[in-house]
Amino acid sequence: MDLSTLQALIGDLTNDPMHDRHSLAQINTELDISQSQMNVEAKILTETTTLTIVAGQSQYALTDLGGVPISFTRVTHKNLLLQKKSKAYFDLYFGGSDWTLTPGTPVYYFIEATDPGNQFITVFPVPGDGDTGANLIVEFIEEHTPMSSSTDTPWNASPETAPYHYVLAYSVASRLLIRDPNPTNAQKVIPYKSIADAGFANLVQVFKSLEKDIPMRLKSIYRPVGQAANAWRQV
């Protein structure tokens, strides 16, 4: 569904086809909120960037990523997962000296930002000459681009989400109706939210399946091992 179709559907669901009670601007704001919340939980707009490790340098600018990162899901170096920590963690456990100068192969990282579009990743310990042969791989969820044109589609036109655009309409409609809790609206809020929640659960599973590599499992079978009843052995 494009933006105009979603707006029309939300108008129908809220019995406000002319958008007299809920303006298009209000609907668009709620659509943005729903997209952001679902994007983070389902990991819809995921990207990966590679940073070149420099000996003696612990901080690296996260620029030219193609989008604004809103969550960092995975960081690796030498194919090993780095743990995300806060600066308070290092102050607490490494506060006996200037921990920003501690040398070694990175095992932790933290994110700093002056604004959402100007972010930095700092690794700890400070990498040395032996760490420069492997890059830092940063996986993140990027912020969606708000829909503005009538032909724009949700989540940056991600094709995998197309069957689930209706989830946004029901989610937004339920939130708009609950603001005016008259008996007629109250009867719609819970069913609409249930439809949105069920559809979103399916959307989450779609993206979980895309990122999982499930190993093959041997199917258990049962064979008789004797003449006695129920004498079966699992193999």
Side-chain angles (χ1 to χ4, degrees):
M1 298 182 188
D2 58 22
L3 177 58
S4 62
T5 304
L6 282 166
Q7 291 169 337
L9 178 55
I10 292 167
D12 290 340
L13 291 173
T14 58
N15 197 28
D16 184 27
M18 302 305 295
H19 309 296
D20 296 321
R21 296 196 313 277
H22 311 115
S23 69
L24 293 179
Q26 289 175 310
I27 290 174
N28 292 350
T29 296
E30 293 296 332
L31 283 169
D32 275 342
I33 292 172
S34 290
Q35 285 186 90
S36 293
Q37 292 173 342
M38 296 180 187
N39 183 23
V40 171
E41 187 168 345
K43 301 178 182 178
I44 296 172
L45 301 176
T46 57
E47 297 289 345
T48 301
T49 189
T50 299
L51 302 174
T52 301
I53 288 291
V54 178
Q57 179 178 331
S58 60
Q59 188 176 79
Y60 302 85
L62 295 169
T63 57
D64 301 324
L65 298 182
V68 177
I70 55 176
S71 177
F72 292 86
T73 56
R74 191 168 185 265
V75 176
T76 61
H77 177 249
K78 294 184 176 180
N79 294 321
L80 298 176
L81 186 66
L82 273 61
Q83 296 182 45
K84 187 176 183 179
K85 299 292 184 181
S86 67
K87 287 194 289 186
Y89 173 88
F90 300 109
D91 291 338
L92 178 62
Y93 292 102
F94 302 93
S97 60
D98 186 353
W99 54 263
T100 63
L101 303 177
T102 302
T105 297
V107 292
Y108 302 115
Y109 77 96
F110 61 88
I111 303 295
E112 292 183 291
T114 54
D115 60 69
N118 190 21
Q119 302 189 46
F120 299 86
I121 183 171
T122 300
V123 295
F124 176 89
V126 181
D129 292 334
D131 302 307
T132 58
N135 291 323
L136 196 66
I137 311 299
V138 181
E139 299 177 18
F140 62 95
I141 301 172
E142 70 174 0
E143 185 179 36
H144 74 279
T145 301
M147 294 182 289
S148 57
S149 170
S150 62
T151 57
D152 287 345
T153 56
W155 292 300
N156 298 7
S158 169
E160 293 84 1
T161 66
Y164 302 96
H165 289 171
Y166 75 93
V167 173
L168 290 170
Y170 279 89
S171 175
V172 169
S174 68
R175 292 206 304 274
L176 291 175
L177 288 175
I178 205 171
R179 296 176 182 176
D180 183 18
N182 60 55
T184 301
N185 290 348
Q187 293 177 356
K188 297 178 180 180
V189 171
I190 293 178
Y192 285 3
K193 188 176 186 304
S194 296
I195 292 172
D197 289 347
F200 177 58
N202 290 332
L203 178 62
V204 169
Q205 290 304 313
V206 167
F207 282 89
K208 281 187 176 180
S209 297
L210 289 174
E211 69 177 9
K212 284 195 300 187
D213 183 13
I214 303 176
M216 293 180 61
R217 296 180 61 187
L218 295 177
K219 182 179 180 181
S220 295
I221 59 175
Y222 292 83
R223 292 179 179 173
V225 294
Q227 299 298 319
N230 298 324
W232 298 78
R233 175 168 60 92
Q234 183 179 5
V235 295

